[in-house]
Amino acid sequence: MTSRLLQPSLGSPDYDGIRQALREDTSTPVISVRGLEARASVLPLITHDGRQAVRVSVTGLVPARMEHELVGVDRAEGADVTLLVPEVSQPTDFTLRLSDGEGLIGEATITVTPQRHWDVFVVHHSHLDIGYTDPQGTVLRHHLDYLDAALRLTEESEDWPDDAKFRWTVESSMPALRWLAARPRDLVEAFKERVREGLIEVTALPFQLHTEACSTEELYRQLRFTEELPTRSAMHTDVPGAVVGLVDALNAAGVRYLAAAHNWAGRSVPYLHGGDKLTRPFRWRAPSGNELLVWFTDTPHGMAYMEGNTVGLADSFELADDLLPRYLSALAGRGYPYGPGTFGWQGPDADRAPYELDALHLRVQGAHADNAGPSIVPASIVREWNTRWAFPRLRSAINSDFFAHVEERYHDRLAVHEGDWTDWWADGLGSGARPLGYVRRAQSALRAAETLHTLAGADATEQIDLAYDKVALFNEHTWGAANPWEDAEEAGDSGGLQWTRKSAGAYDAQDDSADLLQAGMRRFGRRFGGTGFVVVNPGTQRRTDVVRAFLPRDIVPLEQPIALVDERTGERIAHHEEVVHPVDWPTRPIGRHVSAVVRDLPGYGYAFVSIQQGDAVETQEIDETIENEFYRVSYDVREGYIRSIFDKVAGRELVNADAAAGFGQYVYDRYATAPTSTTCRAMSARTTGHCSATGRSAATRRSSRPSAPRSARSWSWSCRPRAPTGCARPSSCTRACPDST
């Protein structure tokens, strides 16, 4: 989404404006006379015969014939020229003269300084947004097409010099895995051969994740393909940060290199959180001692993952020849290569040291857009570049090439940073609270389901992997279309379609995890005889917690009292029941939900809680009383209402004991459509005529005899015709308490 933000409405110039800013920031006015201005740049361009470049550009009233001369060294004609001087080892002054057909216009002293011998690794890839530019399915099919094209382009450049050969880095492994599963055997073998040759690299992450939304197990499982298709590196694109657990997860998958590219996108300023202290590259160390060698590019370094496009590497040799040397010169001379505010929305610049190394990782996309396909242009530029210039030396590279180079030459001098690389850009996670909640449930259930299947001796790895994949897709960083408020069927206006698919994945994941958890419980519980519950602790730590289970009425009738016994100790466990009656939930299993506290269960341990005959349930109301010098308050613990508030000073009762519901008691008003209603809405003022029903009601007058709790009481009644309001008041209904409670 980086390129989308290059628009004047956000205070940002377009690509031409950014490039012009780079030209101005890397050149110095040396001559200003007769309505023209000459600007000179000393750049890190070294020829194969040992000369270095000085570029001069003239603007304003440029005469038809313009000659530039570094006196005694080199001369050229034109408004924009490159002059060559012998490579210097210390600052050296030269005289620049500008002339037209009539004579000298002006002259100035140019100080030529020593320049670095750069190695630039041009890493060609496509940033994967699963959505954003098109509906998700369309995007993924396009990325499979890109792999077809990448394979063809490796063949097209097969006889080119090694540094110039087309190379392709698959930023996210998911398209590669789908491609390998969908293409003929001969293409698959050709692809794998290109991987072995170092022309194609599949990096480790399946797609770009908000890692702080991932469970640990989910993160590790998303790297499982590396067992079959080993890789040394990962790419983390667009998302500004990752949890420190990513270091351990990647290490466990055999990955030691990480290339990150952070999109500031106008609302995130990393140097307010210590980002300006990060050197490039650096070693990221986890508390475990594991490390990653990390390279990162953020927006003010050149549009994050578009920095190669910004300097012309996807356009033409001429544009790259103009801009890339300037970019390198700026990197070597100041903290950020572009001046303050170049991107409009980037915020103030941090106080940052210039880039120190002579090796650079430079990403490039085939076009100035997310989800852009491969192009032969970057490799073609590299080929032409290296014939013209000895330095900077460009290499068409896969991602890990840069890291291998840096590790060999600079590893011990790199800074070590520890801790979380905080992602404070996860807007989408906040916008989808409900599906995110379902994802959290799924993450918890899947871990427990896997434990139960394992304890039961069953292998559910494949199903659990697939469910984790759905969870991870919801945690993927793309949250809606480029224009999410639109509801088109394609391109960036397909907001409705994209969100429907995104959120559906979360709901599917929750259903899949619930199915797997239920299956695991049934499989493990089948190993035990007798009537009861098996309580399992799927975690690693000893635990005391509330357990909730369902007891169907076909196992124990609803009217039969039960007791729970912990078979480890033989002790009874206090419990609470919530009965599911057919009249309440005819569409759900009938029985009772039983809740109890099971104590001291070891990690990965279990206990059998048997169901035994219980004592008859006491049905009398349970009163408790509290009082002071002003009031005496009585309340019913079982039913949860205040029975009495007696004002001692006034000598009067404040609670109506004859009310339809207890004081402070919940009243549940249950009703249905008129043709199928089985409940008289006794509290309604709109019911007319005769109505009759049998059901459970909390909105009923208490019986004078001992009874079941209000919440469990059953009543039958009929309502006398009463026009025009019918059952306007409970007193208009006659009730009869059934024989059994």
Side-chain angles (χ1 to χ4, degrees):
M1 61 184 69
T2 297
S3 58
R4 174 178 168 81
L5 294 171
L6 292 179
Q7 48 185 299
S9 64
L10 295 173
S12 173
D14 57 14
Y15 270 107
D16 289 340
I18 292 171
R19 289 162 173 170
Q20 186 57 35
L22 181 63
R23 293 184 183 100
E24 293 175 0
D25 288 343
T26 54
S27 61
T28 303
V30 290
I31 297 174
S32 182
V33 63
R34 289 166 43 179
L36 59 77
E37 181 181 68
R39 301 178 70 93
S41 307
V42 178
L43 299 173
L45 287 169
I46 312 296
T47 65
H48 292 281
D49 61 1
R51 294 179 294 167
Q52 67 181 87
V54 177
R55 284 194 166 148
V56 183
S57 298
V58 178
T59 58
L61 299 177
V62 182
R65 182 186 174 193
M66 171 68 67
E67 183 179 89
H68 308 253
E69 180 186 9
L70 285 175
V71 177
V73 181
D74 196 12
R75 67 174 62 201
E77 290 187 2
D80 300 292
V81 300
T82 299
L83 301 172
L84 298 174
V85 303
E87 188 174 6
V88 301
S89 58
Q90 60 185 8
T92 304
D93 290 341
F94 293 86
T95 300
L96 172 67
R97 289 179 178 173
L98 269 61
S99 305
D100 59 11
E102 300 177 359
L104 180 67
I105 296 175
E107 68 178 28
T109 299
I110 304 294
T111 301
V112 177
T113 54
Q115 297 296 308
R116 297 184 188 180
H117 289 187
W118 290 86
D119 288 297
V120 178
F121 294 79
V122 180
V123 180
H124 193 6
H125 72 112
S126 176
H127 172 50
L128 175 64
D129 278 330
I130 305 183
Y132 194 68
T133 61
D134 259 308
Q136 291 92 331
T138 302
V139 166
L140 289 170
R141 285 186 290 275
H142 287 167
H143 274 264
L144 268 62
D145 293 339
Y146 298 162
L147 290 176
D148 293 330
L151 191 58
R152 290 193 297 269
L153 290 173
T154 61
E155 296 172 357
E156 181 178 327
S157 64
E158 196 166 16
D159 58 352
W160 292 14
D162 186 64
D163 277 348
K165 288 182 178 179
F166 175 88
R167 287 179 171 85
W168 181 251
T169 298
V170 186
E171 178 201 83
S172 304
S173 64
M174 181 184 182
L177 297 177
R178 292 192 173 198
W179 187 92
L180 291 169
R183 293 302 186 261
R185 183 186 299 273
D186 61 326
L187 288 181
V188 170
E189 290 305 317
F191 183 91
K192 291 182 177 180
E193 180 59 28
R194 295 307 192 194
V195 170
R196 288 189 289 269
E197 293 171 352
L199 297 175
I200 294 176
E201 179 178 17
V202 181
T203 60
L205 290 171
F207 28 76
Q208 304 309 304
L209 285 159
H210 285 300
T211 54
E212 79 285 354
C214 299
S215 68
T216 301
E217 182 70 15
E218 171 192 346
L219 193 56
Y220 277 73
R221 282 180 183 267
Q222 293 309 303
L223 301 169
R224 64 186 185 274
F225 89 94
T226 56
E227 297 175 3
E228 300 178 7
L229 195 63
T231 183
R232 295 186 293 168
S233 75
M235 299 184 86
H236 193 49
T237 306
D238 210 5
V239 185
V243 296
V244 70
L246 183 63
V247 177
D248 290 330
L250 289 173
N251 269 259
V255 175
R256 299 293 184 272
Y257 307 144
L258 174 65
H262 295 170
N263 182 358
W264 288 19
R267 58 195 179 280
S268 48
V269 187
Y271 50 71
L272 297 181
H273 304 271
D276 56 314
K277 305 300 189 294
L278 292 179
T279 53
R280 297 196 311 160
F282 67 89
R283 292 156 56 190
W284 187 12
R285 183 178 295 163
S288 62
N290 288 326
E291 285 188 1
L292 291 175
L293 181 56
V294 179
W295 172 263
F296 75 98
T297 303
D298 51 22
T299 294
H301 275 108
M303 294 297 293
Y305 50 93
M306 295 282 187
E307 77 271 32
N309 296 73
T310 309
V311 296
L313 285 171
D315 295 277
S316 67
F317 172 82
E318 290 72 23
L319 188 58
D321 189 52
D322 173 22
L323 296 172
L324 178 57
R326 297 180 184 278
Y327 181 79
L328 298 175
S329 177
L331 275 179
R334 56 174 180 259
Y336 289 114
Y338 298 93
T342 300
F343 299 100
W345 34 262
Q346 78 181 46
D349 284 335
D351 183 13
R352 188 184 188 95
Y355 182 62
E356 293 183 344
L357 306 187
D358 297 339
L360 184 70
H361 183 290
L362 200 61
R363 297 190 188 209
V364 64
Q365 312 240 114
H368 299 259
D370 300 316
N371 293 319
S375 166
I376 197 64
V377 171
S380 301
I381 291 173
V382 170
R383 180 172 64 166
E384 185 172 353
W385 185 286
N386 289 339
T387 62
R388 182 170 300 188
W389 303 109
F391 294 101
R393 182 72 180 179
L394 270 55
R395 175 174 175 80
S396 175
I398 56 174
N399 190 48
S400 58
D401 287 343
F402 167 79
F403 292 97
H405 177 90
V406 168
E407 189 170 46
E408 179 183 350
R409 290 165 176 78
Y410 306 110
H411 182 268
D412 291 340
R413 61 180 278 194
L414 299 180
V416 176
H417 296 282
E418 298 178 338
D420 278 318
W421 201 356
T422 310
D423 172 11
W424 17 249
W425 189 58
D427 306 69
L429 297 174
S431 70
R434 173 175 285 177
L436 179 61
Y438 276 78
V439 161
R440 293 298 199 205
R441 293 182 195 175
Q443 289 168 333
S444 177
L446 284 171
R447 185 172 179 84
E450 184 177 22
T451 300
L452 287 167
H453 278 86
T454 301
L455 292 173
D459 185 2
T461 302
E462 184 176 353
Q463 300 97 306
I464 289 174
D465 281 345
L466 292 174
Y468 270 120
D469 289 347
K470 291 180 181 178
V471 168
L473 275 170
F474 185 78
N475 294 330
E476 193 267 346
H477 80 297
T478 310
W479 287 83
N483 298 319
W485 51 86
E486 300 289 350
D487 196 25
E489 293 190 351
E490 61 181 2
D493 289 337
S494 54
L497 277 177
Q498 292 192 34
W499 178 243
T500 296
R501 179 161 181 179
K502 179 85 170 177
S503 56
Y507 302 133
D508 284 348
Q510 196 277 335
D511 271 340
D512 291 350
S513 64
D515 292 344
L516 285 162
L517 182 60
Q518 185 185 66
M521 290 189 294
R522 295 296 187 269
R523 283 175 171 152
F524 185 64
R526 214 35 206 167
R527 301 172 57 187
F528 297 83
T531 302
F533 304 113
V534 182
V535 182
V536 181
N537 177 5
T540 59
Q541 302 297 315
R542 188 172 292 273
R543 187 174 175 185
T544 294
D545 214 331
V546 176
V547 173
R548 178 180 168 90
F550 183 71
L551 179 60
R553 71 173 176 183
D554 56 282
I555 295 178
V556 178
L558 292 179
E559 62 273 11
Q560 179 179 325
I562 65 169
L564 302 185
V565 175
D566 188 335
E567 291 297 330
R568 295 175 299 172
T569 62
E571 296 180 353
R572 281 197 176 192
I573 305 173
H575 73 280
H576 172 73
E577 298 180 13
E578 296 175 43
V579 178
V580 181
H581 280 281
V583 68
D584 294 325
W585 289 104
T587 60
R588 292 192 176 184
I590 304 305
R592 46 188 145 177
H593 294 281
V594 180
S595 300
V597 175
V598 177
R599 299 185 179 279
D600 206 27
L601 203 57
Y604 299 131
Y606 56 87
F608 186 73
V609 177
S610 63
I611 299 172
Q612 300 183 11
Q613 176 70 39
D615 300 326
V617 178
E618 294 292 334
T619 58
Q620 70 271 19
E621 295 166 331
I622 302 174
D623 288 329
E624 297 284 352
T625 300
I626 57 174
E627 62 181 304
N628 59 18
E629 63 268 33
F630 302 108
Y631 296 99
R632 181 174 63 250
V633 179
S634 299
Y635 52 91
D636 191 290
V637 175
R638 182 184 301 279
E639 297 192 38
Y641 70 94
I642 296 174
R643 181 180 301 283
S644 166
I645 302 176
F646 185 77
D647 187 329
K648 294 181 178 180
V649 176
R652 58 177 296 190
E653 175 62 49
L654 302 181
V655 173
N656 178 10
D658 294 325
F663 184 68
Q665 186 175 29
Y666 278 99
V667 175
Y668 296 90
D669 187 8
R670 294 173 178 154
Y671 58 95
T673 55
T676 59
S677 177
T678 59
T679 303
C680 172
R681 296 186 63 195
M683 305 300 288
S684 171
R686 298 183 179 274
T687 306
T688 60
H690 177 76
C691 56
S692 62
T694 300
R696 299 170 63 228
S697 174
T700 54
R701 183 175 301 177
R702 295 191 303 279
S703 170
S704 60
R705 66 179 183 175
S707 63
R710 287 172 192 257
S711 59
R713 188 177 303 151
S714 298
W715 293 96
S716 298
W717 70 85
S718 62
C719 298
R720 298 187 298 272
R722 186 180 183 206
T725 57
C727 300
R729 298 165 54 194
S731 59
S732 68
C733 297
T734 60
R735 304 186 183 87
C737 184
D739 292 336
S740 61
T741 60

